[in-house]
Amino acid sequence: MAKDGHSDDRSETASNSDGLKHTRQDPELSEAEYINRYRRARRQLWVWRIVSYLLIAAVVALAVALGVIIKQKHTLEHDNVEFHNATSYAEHNTCPDFLDPGQATLQTNRKPSSDQPNIFEELHTAELAAVRDYLFSQADLNLTRSDEASVASNVLYMMELLPPPKAAALAYLDSGGQARAVLYLGYQEQPRVVEVTVGQLPNPTNYTILREIPWNTRPPNAAEYASMDQLVQQATADLEQFMAATFNGFRYYDCQFPRCLLWSDSTPRGVTNDSRQTWIWFMRLAEGFYLQPIGLEMLISHPGNDPSTWAITQIFYNGQVYQNTTQLNTAFADTTSGLNRQQVMSPLP
Ligand SMILES: *[C@@H]1O[C@H](CO)[C@@H](O)[C@H](O)[C@H]1NC(C)=O
Ligand SMILES: *[C@@H]1O[C@H](CO)[C@@H](O)[C@H](O)[C@H]1NC(C)=O
Ligand SMILES: *[C@@H]1O[C@H](CO)[C@@H](O)[C@H](O)[C@H]1NC(C)=O
Ligand SMILES: *[C@@H]1O[C@H](CO)[C@@H](O)[C@H](O)[C@H]1NC(C)=O
Ligand SMILES: *[C@@H]1O[C@H](CO)[C@@H](O)[C@H](O)[C@H]1NC(C)=O
């Protein structure tokens, strides 16, 4: 009985610790059978406990995975927006680095290196601001902020120090220096690019045209790239099927980051003053994208200051030149052309 009593004590203790209520309902059950049943129940209880812990762990893991996926998707969407923001030429500005996109706010904080800087030292921020403000205040120049400019606008392209001739150095020190600025005068029947001197620093009061270069030979600015990009957007939208099938889902028009293409251009843009043509080529968006050309190129003709007259005049792909997107699409649809089996062979980034 002592043994039984001991066993009873144990079972009582154990059942209490389990928080379970054991009552002897069947007086016929032997003590051993009762202990057996009790142990079996306990084992089962543990099995269920373990199963529940595993299920809880699985739920937590799934929740974490879902969180990670949502975050990744969110990051990807964010990257997509950021990418399109960054490559949107209209938002961009190729003004000198000291001009904020559009607002013509000075971005650099270039201070004179000392109280008596040498006379060839670049213009500092206050001088640049003075030149900019002076030029913008000239009604005859009608300068437009670069974020509001089109190709047919007058814009301030750059500003820098105009170093004095050595012989004039002393006079320069006495009277203050001059700046050189380049203006794109697109708002004219005959658009011009002029280089002007602006004097005298630090408070300019007049400007003089130093020289001119033919309009069609100028480096493009943001407004021009934006207008070129509209043509490229249109052409790549027309070629959407061909491009998606040929470049493994990499597209330019309405691309989904990171499966995006970029384009770049080259100079010179012609050999006469009347023409302005640029070959552009597409690259995959990847680290070192300049090493990822896909073999598709387009020739854009963009002379003058009226983008509505500009056009893509040739498309180069697979060793052949097409006159327009229709011709390329026709070749792509033609199963005998071999074009619809062309794939970019190099591995994806
Ligand atoms: C994209 O540009 C818009 C408008 O310029 C801006 O509000 C937004 O914050 C930008 N988004 C990212 C991710 O850069
Ligand atoms: C200044 O140039 C803009 C084009 O950028 C034009 O719309 C506007 O009429 C011009 N203003 C004057 C006074 O010529
Ligand atoms: C510009 O103003 C300076 C004096 O500030 C004067 O010496 C110079 O002749 C002026 N230049 C022109 C082109 O008017
Ligand atoms: C282009 O214009 C510049 C300046 O107006 C002139 O000196 C040059 O001879 C012209 N070049 C051609 C090829 O017409
Ligand atoms: C495209 O080019 C082809 C071949 O030169 C020409 O026949 C066709 O008219 C052009 N189509 C358009 C829409 O310009």
Side-chain angles (χ1 to χ4, degrees), residues 16 44 59 61 109-110 132 157 212 215 218 223 230 243 265 278 302 307 310 312 317 331:
N16 280 344
Q44 272 174 359
V59 166
N109 193 13
R110 198 185 288 144
R132 174 204 61 193
Y157 184 70
E212 290 189 33
W215 175 253
R218 77 200 184 283
Q230 279 176 11
M243 292 185 75
D265 59 348
T278 303
H302 52 121
W310 299 355
I312 288 175
Y317 181 67

Side-chain angles (χ1 to χ4, degrees), residues 32-315:
E33 177 68 359
Y34 170 76
I35 289 169
N36 234 350
R37 281 194 180 188
Y38 170 73
R39 286 193 174 142
R40 218 176 315 139
R42 249 182 92 82
R43 265 204 305 278
Q44 272 174 359
L45 186 72
W46 272 109
V47 167
W48 283 117
R49 266 194 187 171
I50 289 167
V51 167
S52 342
Y53 288 151
L54 286 177
L55 282 176
I56 289 170
V59 166
V60 169
L62 281 175
V64 168
L66 190 67
V68 168
I69 288 171
I70 288 174
K71 183 150 192 306
Q72 271 179 352
K73 191 161 178 292
H74 190 259
T75 309
L76 208 58
E77 273 165 11
H78 177 270
D79 287 352
N80 194 36
V81 172
E82 200 172 54
F83 170 75
H84 284 284
N85 270 5
T87 53
S88 148
Y89 284 109
E91 302 280 321
H92 244 216
N93 184 281
T94 50
C95 246
D97 65 351
F98 42 80
L99 286 180
D100 186 53
Q103 284 131 47
T105 329
L106 299 168
Q107 293 241 300
T108 54
N109 193 13
R110 198 185 288 144
K111 296 197 173 78
S113 61
S114 69
D115 286 347
Q116 296 193 305
N118 89 54
I119 60 175
F120 303 108
E121 187 168 297
E122 243 327 318
L123 301 180
H124 54 80
T125 306
E127 292 170 323
L128 290 166
V131 173
R132 174 204 61 193
D133 293 346
Y134 167 72
L135 289 172
F136 269 82
S137 73
Q138 299 306 295
D140 58 335
L141 290 177
N142 185 23
L143 291 178
T144 302
R145 286 164 42 148
S146 40
D147 67 339
E148 291 168 357
S150 68
V151 177
S153 299
N154 294 351
V155 294
L156 170 58
Y157 184 70
M158 61 84 78
M159 297 180 281
E160 65 179 8
L161 174 80
L162 180 65
K166 285 179 181 167
L170 283 179
Y172 177 105
L173 284 176
D174 290 341
S175 65
Q178 289 190 307
R180 182 209 318 271
V182 172
L183 309 176
Y184 286 6
L185 305 180
Y187 184 67
Q188 304 193 344
E189 196 69 32
Q190 291 298 320
R192 303 186 296 156
V193 176
V194 296
E195 188 181 54
V196 297
T197 64
V198 182
Q200 301 286 337
L201 293 171
N203 300 306
T205 54
N206 60 21
Y207 75 89
T208 318
I209 292 180
L210 204 59
R211 64 185 135 240
E212 290 189 33
I213 63 161
W215 175 253
N216 284 331
T217 62
R218 77 200 184 283
N221 62 353
E224 184 172 25
Y225 274 128
S227 293
M228 290 165 76
D229 193 55
Q230 279 176 11
L231 288 175
V232 180
Q233 293 280 358
Q234 183 57 54
T236 51
D238 292 348
L239 294 174
E240 197 161 6
Q241 258 191 320
F242 158 75
M243 292 185 75
T246 309
F247 306 121
N248 272 317
F250 277 73
R251 305 189 302 176
Y252 183 69
Y253 173 74
D254 197 23
C255 77
Q256 202 58 38
F257 181 88
R259 294 200 156 231
C260 288
L261 298 173
L262 307 168
W263 60 266
S264 186
D265 59 348
S266 61
T267 55
R269 298 169 204 274
V271 290
T272 71
N273 291 335
D274 300 328
S275 69
R276 184 167 173 83
Q277 304 186 78
T278 303
W279 274 108
I280 66 158
W281 64 90
F282 292 88
M283 299 158 290
R284 274 180 299 202
L285 172 67
E287 204 169 332
F289 49 80
Y290 36 83
L291 297 176
Q292 303 273 346
I294 57 168
L296 176 69
E297 304 184 13
M298 294 179 179
L299 182 63
I300 306 178
S301 176
H302 52 121
N305 62 352
D306 182 2
S308 70
T309 63
W310 299 355
I312 288 175
T313 54
Q314 293 186 39
I315 301 170

